DNA sequence: CTGAAAGCGCTAACAT
DNA sequence: ATGTTAGCGCTTTCAG
């Protein structure tokens, strides 16, 4: 009735080999300080000799934890935000997790049904924490996570009042710098192509645009303090996009129709900037000669865009790293301490403008 | 000594509620046919009422499996092959796994040390199977996997003699179609920019080039049957790249130096095609007027390249799907049946050339 | 067809 | 400091 060993040595065998009890072996493995050096050495030797590797499942079962975290990616977003952004995030997360024995579970959520099932998923204690990217304002997942008291970190935030821990780029600052740059270069009729305004990131970038315009005394709207509201004459310099190239095209056409004299455009994403540039060229405008473009670097295509195109770079990989670090901390302390991290962006000037 | 319930209902509770034994509940959950309809109904009702979700750790421990597979990505490759390729693969894998309760573990391997640790990782039975992308010819991982009798599926293959299961795109066919296309359009001095020839995928694409050249009676080398060997006058139309844009530039310059009269180029990746195009333009050649370009679509930038640029499209997402499907099959049958799947590519003609 | 019982390998509380 | 013991929740014989 015994002995259908799966081949691999168990903690028990290590204990025997080392001439100690199982408890001691467990303590050594988990780095408990309450072990004599002698015992510790013996155990470590036995582990090495036997090639012992702890069984995760057993550990998870007994310890009521999984040593795994989930990276949740809503499927639609994966397309929108151009993939390299995620790649970098993932790279960062991976880098941070490398020293840990924490596993990274990839969880793609594509349907509302799967979204619903996610609750169960978490409930089943299948992960110690959750990393969430591309959260929309009305995303119920963060609240669910909070209810379940599940450690979680968002990439970005739903609003200024985000309660769940998050790591975000300084979108306002980045946008502001981008627009200020255009203005510094002598552009006066600077327009912006926004992202979908139900996303905080899009609103933040629009805010940055407004602030920069206001700072320069140009009529970019009512802002200056950070409020997204505000309307006025400058509104005709604002066109809504949706972070897609086609959206960028549409918005650029709209802008051109409303203000043929536009001489600078800040697009809230490089993909939209690419679309805008295409339209500008079709319309016979020189870029950046007639119209200068600055985009937010969300995607790899930035590297393949017009070399003269300046853009706002986000510390994407660093964000991934930070997300993981924050999550690990949150898991370590059982307390629900929320952390809000905003990382600086950088204006990468490609050429003349 | 008991009762520090974690809150969630257990199989035992379901059994009590349904008025059956634990064994029966387990059978129902695992879809065993050896259960009466009555018992099954009772158990299902109890499960629904209690909101029972099986505990994966317990299951893994008792069943000696994990219901998880690992997607292994060598870090360096992640950069090379431009990320969208992976994104699509992952999307496909995710889609296929959605109906399963199989988990996807993301495993980034960046250092030789981590590569070494991977053996332990597997040994600890932490996954039921492995998905491997971007395998180099000298990659030891596939062999390790085979030794361990671990179900595994590669994306691509190390050579024509690959022993491990794989899912690959028809690189030879794609390259051949691309070059044939150029020749059909009247190009006669068609060159190729290859990938690193220590990768099968690069050799396969070169083979395709050679075959098409030979078919047309143009001196593309000695080939025709698939051998990569072969030299001759046509060799000067072949330049080695490394799948990077800069590599594409270098190769293009080389080509131009050797054969200023080149009128068509098949680049083994779109990233290199982009580099080649940049050089061509710098040199004052019109693309595709003077020199027509066809690239293999590995990356998203294809979408942003010259609209006149025709390219070879791979069924990337489908490949991911297939990989997952094949792996699941391999896991299901305990036997080590190797499957080799080659999916067709498609020539996407953008415009005139 | 279905209970009962024996673990899977580990952690953690309890005695020493 | 360390051995012992009792489970964690599930799968799987083994008897009926």
């Amino acid at each position: 009735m015994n002995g259908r060993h799966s081949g691999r040595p168990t903690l028990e065998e290590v204990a025997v080999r080392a001439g100690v009890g199982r408890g001691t072996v467990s303590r050594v493995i988990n780095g408990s300080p309450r072990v004599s050096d002698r015992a510790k050495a013996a155990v470590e030797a036995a582990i090495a000799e036997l090639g012992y590797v702890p069984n995760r499942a057993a550990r998870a079962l007994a310890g009521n934890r999984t040593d795994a975290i989930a990276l949740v990616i809503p499927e639609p977003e994966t397309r929108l935000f151009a993939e390299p952004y995620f790649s970098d995030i993932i790279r960062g997360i991976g880098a941070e997790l490398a020293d840990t024995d924490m596993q990274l579970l990839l969880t793609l959520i594509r349907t509302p049904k799967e979204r619903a099932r996610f609750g169960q998923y978490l409930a089943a204690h299948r992960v110690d924490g959750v990393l969430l990217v591309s959260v929309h304002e009305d995303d119920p997942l963060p609240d669910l996570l909070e209810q379940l008291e599940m450690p979680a970190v968002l990439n970005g935030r739903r609003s200024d009042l985000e309660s769940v821990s998050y790591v975000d780029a300084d979108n306002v600052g980045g946008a502001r710098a981008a627009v200020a740059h255009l203005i510094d270069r002598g552009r006066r009729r600077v327009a912006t192509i926004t992202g979908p305004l139900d996303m905080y990131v899009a609103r933040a970038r629009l805010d940055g645009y407004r602030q920069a315009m206001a700072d320069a005394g140009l009529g970019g709207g009512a802002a200056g303090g950070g409020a997204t509201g505000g309307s006025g004459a400058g509104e005709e310099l604002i066109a809504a996009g949706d972070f897609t190239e086609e959206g960028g095209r549409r918005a650029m056409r709209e802008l051109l129709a409303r203000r043929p004299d536009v001489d600078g455009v800040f697009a809230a994403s490089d993909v939209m900037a690419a679309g805008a540039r295409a339209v500008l060229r079709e319309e016979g405008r020189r870029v950046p000669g007639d119209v200068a473009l600055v985009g937010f670097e969300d995607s790899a295509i930035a590297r393949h865009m017009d070399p003269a195109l300046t853009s706002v770079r986000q510390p994407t990989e660093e964000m991934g790293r930070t997300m993981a670090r924050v999550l690990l901390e949150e898991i370590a302390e059982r307390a629900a301490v929320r952390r809000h991290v905003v990382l600086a962006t950088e204006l990468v000037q490609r050429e003349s403008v």
Side-chain angles (χ1 to χ4, degrees), chain A residues 48-342:
Chain A
E49 288 161 26
L50 263 38
Y52 168 77
V53 181
N55 177 316
R56 281 185 95 90
R59 219 176 199 181
L61 183 55
N64 198 44
R65 67 201 156 90
T66 59
D67 287 336
I69 63 178
L71 171 60
V72 179
I73 302 181
E75 179 71 341
E77 319 310 338
T78 265
R79 293 243 183 240
L80 281 191
F81 239 60
E83 302 81 352
Y85 179 84
F86 286 128
S87 283
D88 286 350
I89 293 273
I90 292 177
R91 208 192 318 281
I93 294 171
E96 192 66 31
L97 257 38
D99 310 313
T100 322
D101 72 335
M102 211 37 109
Q103 295 190 319
L104 217 210
L105 279 168
L106 237 196
T107 310
L108 274 56
I109 297 192
R110 79 208 71 213
T111 64
K113 189 184 142 219
E114 282 183 25
R115 208 180 197 84
R117 262 186 10 192
F118 189 65
Q120 292 207 329
Y121 189 97
L122 297 176
H125 264 300
R126 271 138 75 153
V127 288
D128 294 343
V130 172
L131 256 18
L132 214 53
V133 296
S134 191
V135 254
H136 277 254
E137 191 159 6
D138 61 343
D139 198 324
L141 253 32
D143 291 327
L144 175 62
L145 258 12
E146 200 155 33
Q147 261 177 53
L148 266 42
E149 295 181 87
M150 168 73 65
V153 178
L154 315 183
N155 173 215
R157 43 192 144 160
R158 288 171 295 173
S159 76
D160 276 318
L161 300 74
E162 183 59 67
S163 50
V164 177
S165 290
Y166 66 78
V167 174
D168 201 358
D170 182 9
N171 290 297
V172 176
R176 193 168 176 161
V179 176
H181 172 81
L182 289 171
I183 294 172
D184 283 352
R185 292 295 176 288
R187 309 294 171 161
R188 282 299 169 268
R189 294 168 299 283
V190 180
T192 185
I193 298 177
T194 75
L197 294 176
D198 69 316
M199 290 179 77
Y200 178 82
V201 55
R203 291 202 305 278
R205 290 174 188 181
L206 175 55
D207 271 349
Y209 163 80
R210 286 198 159 115
Q211 290 181 22
M213 291 296 272
D215 287 350
L218 298 171
T228 297
S231 61
E235 291 300 304
E236 62 182 354
L237 283 168
I238 300 175
D242 54 4
F243 281 148
T244 69
E245 186 170 347
E246 180 47 32
R249 298 181 112 95
R250 270 199 304 272
M252 192 63 242
R253 281 193 210 100
E254 213 176 298
L255 249 18
L256 245 20
R258 295 206 293 243
R259 295 288 302 254
D261 61 338
V262 60
D263 63 0
V265 176
F266 161 63
S269 85
D270 51 10
V271 175
M272 294 195 298
R277 189 191 51 177
V279 167
L280 285 168
R281 287 191 169 156
E282 284 164 17
E283 299 297 323
R285 314 282 181 119
R286 282 173 310 144
V287 179
D290 299 327
V291 183
L293 261 172
V294 176
F296 232 92
E297 226 171 85
D298 294 316
S299 142
I301 74 161
R303 285 174 294 182
H304 303 284
M305 296 199 310
D306 194 320
L309 183 60
T310 293
S311 66
V312 181
R313 178 170 300 163
Q314 306 179 71
T316 329
E317 185 164 342
E318 168 90 36
M319 291 176 77
R321 258 199 172 62
T322 309
M323 288 176 68
R325 195 176 322 123
V326 169
L327 184 59
L328 291 181
E329 286 170 10
E330 215 168 275
I331 292 173
E333 332 156 350
R334 285 323 266 139
V337 196
R338 298 311 188 174
R339 270 163 253 259
H340 296 168
V341 182
V342 176

Side-chain angles (χ1 to χ4, degrees), chain A residues 1-16:
Chain A
M1 282 128 218
N2 198 323
R4 73 308 213 181
H5 270 262
S6 72
R8 309 211 54 71
T10 70
L11 180 149
E12 167 107 53
E13 299 178 53
V14 173
V16 173

